[in-house]
Amino acid sequence: MEDKLGLPENKLRDFIQGADKAKWIAKNNHNIKYFTEDEIKRTTSNYSTSLGNGSFGKVYNGIIDDNSAVAVKRYSRIDSEEEFAKEVIVHSQVNHKNVVKLIGCCTEKNAPIMVFEYVSNGTLCENPHGSNVPVYLDKRFSIAIQCAEALEIVLHILPT
């Protein structure tokens, strides 16, 4: 459902039930794009190039209309539409140099998908652990501090 101005500001709130619904207002999600599942299939060439996978599902390489590279996180297992909506709302509010920017999402039934900017440097886990190049203690401390700064932003976004 779109708000009075025609923006899908609170589209994600439709998935949240109960008294919590009033707390989960996305203050800044008008910049994210709502994709259809068909658009995602075109973006990823029908999920042809996998970037990786995890317990949530798989991530695919894609190109959106403005020729920007994106990473498409396609959930194969999600506890509920409500949890997905909350994740999108929180991620849409985070603006930090070390957090990958959320471009958009797909909220179609049975197609929970998030679209992120593509970052070619690999994951945080791959960098210190998946390389033969040693990561020295001062660099590890720097990574830990930057992660803590990003988490602090998230904590301020979460409803109380």
Side-chain angles (χ1 to χ4, degrees), residues 61-122:
N61 191 34
I63 304 290
I64 55 176
D65 291 339
D66 68 358
N67 288 324
S68 298
V70 293
V72 176
K73 183 178 179 181
R74 182 180 185 199
Y75 290 83
S76 60
R77 185 189 69 73
I78 193 158
D79 293 335
S80 70
E81 289 177 330
E82 181 172 346
E83 291 304 313
F84 175 74
K86 288 176 179 179
E87 182 177 346
V88 173
I89 289 170
V90 169
H91 209 101
S92 71
Q93 307 300 299
V94 176
N95 183 14
H96 188 274
K97 67 180 181 175
N98 295 318
V99 176
V100 179
K101 181 181 176 192
L102 177 67
I103 303 294
C105 65
C106 177
T107 58
E108 289 182 18
K109 192 77 171 162
N110 300 320
I113 297 169
M114 293 175 67
V115 179
F116 297 94
E117 68 180 345
Y118 177 77
V119 180
S120 61
N121 295 348

Side-chain angles (χ1 to χ4, degrees), residues 5-160:
L5 298 175
L7 298 171
E9 288 291 317
N10 294 313
K11 186 175 191 173
L12 294 164
R13 286 184 63 218
D14 292 341
F15 296 115
I16 300 172
Q17 306 300 314
D20 268 2
K21 188 171 191 160
K23 297 177 183 178
W24 288 94
I25 298 172
K27 297 172 184 74
N28 190 23
N29 78 340
H30 58 272
N31 291 327
I32 66 170
K33 179 175 173 25
Y34 288 86
F35 293 91
T36 66
E37 189 174 15
D38 286 340
E39 288 174 317
I40 296 292
K41 285 179 181 177
R42 280 192 305 277
T43 296
T44 62
S45 298
N46 205 24
Y47 308 106
S48 62
T49 306
S50 176
L51 297 174
N53 54 33
S55 60
F56 57 84
K58 289 189 175 187
V59 179
Y60 298 92
N61 191 34
I63 304 290
I64 55 176
D65 291 339
D66 68 358
N67 288 324
S68 298
V70 293
V72 176
K73 183 178 179 181
R74 182 180 185 199
Y75 290 83
S76 60
R77 185 189 69 73
I78 193 158
D79 293 335
S80 70
E81 289 177 330
E82 181 172 346
E83 291 304 313
F84 175 74
K86 288 176 179 179
E87 182 177 346
V88 173
I89 289 170
V90 169
H91 209 101
S92 71
Q93 307 300 299
V94 176
N95 183 14
H96 188 274
K97 67 180 181 175
N98 295 318
V99 176
V100 179
K101 181 181 176 192
L102 177 67
I103 303 294
C105 65
C106 177
T107 58
E108 289 182 18
K109 192 77 171 162
N110 300 320
I113 297 169
M114 293 175 67
V115 179
F116 297 94
E117 68 180 345
Y118 177 77
V119 180
S120 61
N121 295 348
T123 68
L124 179 62
C125 186
E126 290 169 349
N127 282 307
H129 303 294
S131 170
N132 290 331
V133 178
V135 180
Y136 297 103
L137 191 57
D138 60 335
K139 182 65 174 174
R140 289 177 187 259
F141 279 138
S142 175
I143 291 170
I145 289 168
Q146 291 174 24
C147 288
E149 290 170 352
L151 285 172
E152 180 182 30
I153 292 169
V154 171
L155 291 175
H156 287 292
I157 293 168
L158 292 174
T160 55

